[in-house]
Amino acid sequence: MLTHIPFPPLPAPPSWFPGHMLQFQRMLPTLLNKTDVVLELRDARLPLTSINQNFEGALQKWKRERGTEFPTGIPPLRDASATTPVAGPSMGAACQRIVVFSKRDLVPEWGIKPFQRAMAAKYPDQKFFFASWNSRRDIKALNELLVNVAREHPHRPELNVLVVGMPNVGKSTLLNALRNIGIAGPTPKALRTSAHPGMTRVLSTRLKLCVEPLVYAYDSPGVMLPFLGKGDKGAERGVKLALIAPVFPWLLTYVEFSVRTETAGIKEGLYDTETLASYLLFRMNVLDPVSPAYLRLLPPGSPPVVYVQDFLELLAQRLCMLKRGGIPDTARAAVWFIKWWREEGGLASAAAPALPATASGIGLQSWRRGWGFDLEWTVDAAEFGRYDESMIQAKMEECMSRFEEAAAEEEREGGAISSTQEKKRAKEEQRARQQARTRARLAAKKGR
């Protein structure tokens, strides 16, 4: 087993923010005026990193304007001759924000309930739902959740749902699945889907999800952060997103081409696959330092590996990926490793236990544990005997608090804005000052 897992060095993150993302971001406040329910999709493996702060301001304003006019967001009914509210159907505007964590089958089951409770305690105005698009039961439960919201507002002719989130979290796939559950009979696929992000570039037409009651939904373009951050935090954020879903869709294609043609290096500004492999190796070791899922790829009896170069050499030999002279082809092995993890290894990693059964007998003073790619904490030897769901929830809440503190500090230090954006902002401010001076001079001349 591993007792020391060093954090790998990571490069600065590249940016990917096409014009259609900016366009949708500007449209969002107007769209929310016609929206009753926001389905915000996040990846269960990145429950914090996949929060898009660009949405927060617009969503919070929407909640304030539509959801807090009355204590519950629902105005009380009054009898014509009475001065006190009476019971009856809701007449208020629907205003629900439901955060759906996709790919629940790719995170350990033991952490789902503690995480849900931790999020509900921290964000009581939001609902949280875990789902796998492969599970009909999950899709049916989410469909029932939307139908219940519609039935709580029977005076409204229809319920309008807006689906938002980062690229490639499965928005179009979810809506196709909800439509299949909610509409009786054969339902053709209404929205195109792709393994690469960026397929949806404009707001979709209305998609009917249910007939009785009427529920409609809009698919939206995935929106990335314009800048992933500075320093180690930004570097790790970029690598996480690149691993979870190919946020940079040209990356693996280019690397595979480079490997086949044996060209040196990689296109400037993109991640080297060995960098992605090194972070993936680190994260899998944290998830299970005793028996990480990648051991099944190595020769039988191999111990866990700390350094990526050693691991890739072993993997290349195991897969017979050799260059001339029998030299292990680590570049090809890195591409294969990342592809394996996306297709099979994620499921294997999700089987990692909350705490290894041998934890108390090894004599370690503490264990480093993790859930998904965002949450990581230490379990002291004194806590081994009472390591249950309530303690896991407390550890997760600490992780969330640290995440929020780091995000606030990054915001104060200007870490959420790139140097290019800073220059652009400075030019806009200078232009605004010049225009103000020009208007002042013209006003002064006119007043003479």
Side-chain angles (χ1 to χ4, degrees), residues 36-271:
D36 302 307
V37 177
V38 171
L39 280 185
E40 182 184 354
L41 266 62
R42 303 178 192 167
D43 195 301
R45 297 164 293 177
L46 290 180
L48 304 180
T49 300
S50 59
I51 296 174
N52 195 324
Q53 297 297 338
N54 289 339
F55 296 151
E56 288 302 307
L59 291 175
Q60 289 174 9
K61 182 180 178 183
W62 171 68
K63 289 286 288 185
R64 284 196 303 269
E65 293 178 350
R66 297 192 63 182
T68 57
E69 185 178 355
F70 300 93
T72 61
I74 302 172
L77 290 179
R78 295 179 180 273
D79 184 80
S81 60
T83 58
T84 57
V86 297
S90 165
M91 296 294 290
C95 181
Q96 292 279 350
R97 181 180 178 181
I98 304 173
V99 179
V100 181
F101 294 98
S102 63
K103 301 179 176 68
R104 67 166 292 166
D105 53 330
L106 299 181
V107 292
E109 186 69 26
W110 51 261
I112 291 179
K113 287 184 179 179
F115 182 76
Q116 281 181 312
R117 289 196 290 264
M119 292 291 283
K122 204 160 192 65
Y123 307 103
D125 61 326
Q126 302 174 22
K127 291 185 178 180
F128 301 94
F129 190 90
F130 277 78
S132 169
W133 300 170
N134 297 324
S135 170
R136 185 176 177 84
R137 183 178 64 178
D138 290 348
I139 302 300
K140 189 174 182 180
L142 183 55
N143 177 71
E144 290 174 356
L145 182 59
L146 294 174
V147 167
N148 288 337
V149 174
R151 286 174 177 162
E152 289 171 3
H153 301 80
H155 66 285
R156 298 184 66 82
E158 61 194 34
L159 189 79
N160 289 303
V161 180
L162 178 64
V163 182
V164 299
M166 284 196 176
N168 220 41
V169 292
K171 297 184 293 298
S172 301
T173 304
L174 171 63
L175 286 176
N176 283 328
L178 285 171
R179 176 180 168 83
N180 188 47
I181 289 286
I183 305 294
T187 52
K189 187 175 179 180
L191 298 172
R192 295 176 62 197
T193 59
S194 171
H196 295 308
M199 171 64 73
T200 304
R201 291 180 172 268
V202 296
L203 191 73
S204 73
T205 55
R206 291 209 308 174
L207 183 68
K208 187 182 291 185
L209 299 185
C210 185
V211 176
E212 182 57 43
L214 269 176
V215 179
Y216 289 95
Y218 293 89
D219 192 14
S220 68
V223 178
M224 274 290 294
L225 298 173
F227 181 58
L228 295 176
K230 299 175 182 177
D232 293 339
K233 293 293 182 182
E236 186 175 10
R237 190 176 294 130
V239 171
K240 285 178 179 180
L241 290 168
L243 276 171
I244 290 302
V247 174
F248 311 107
W250 56 87
L251 174 60
L252 280 184
T253 302
Y254 185 88
V255 172
E256 287 168 355
F257 174 78
S258 299
V259 169
R260 286 196 301 269
T261 57
E262 297 187 353
T263 58
I266 185 169
K267 188 176 180 181
E268 187 176 336
L270 302 183
Y271 284 111

Side-chain angles (χ1 to χ4, degrees), residues 289-306:
V290 175
S291 181
Y294 63 75
L295 287 184
R296 65 190 64 189
L297 306 177
L298 302 180
S302 298
V305 184
V306 172

Side-chain angles (χ1 to χ4, degrees), residues 48 109-123 354 369 371 375-379 383 386-402:
L48 304 180
E109 186 69 26
W110 51 261
I112 291 179
K113 287 184 179 179
F115 182 76
Q116 281 181 312
R117 289 196 290 264
M119 292 291 283
K122 204 160 192 65
Y123 307 103
R369 305 303 298 135
W371 188 77
L375 305 177
E376 189 179 337
W377 60 86
T378 299
V379 183
E383 299 174 325
R386 50 191 179 90
Y387 191 67
D388 54 11
E389 283 193 357
S390 60
M391 181 177 288
I392 293 172
Q393 178 182 338
K395 299 284 188 183
M396 289 180 167
E397 288 176 354
E398 292 174 6
C399 292
M400 293 176 196
S401 297
R402 288 196 299 270

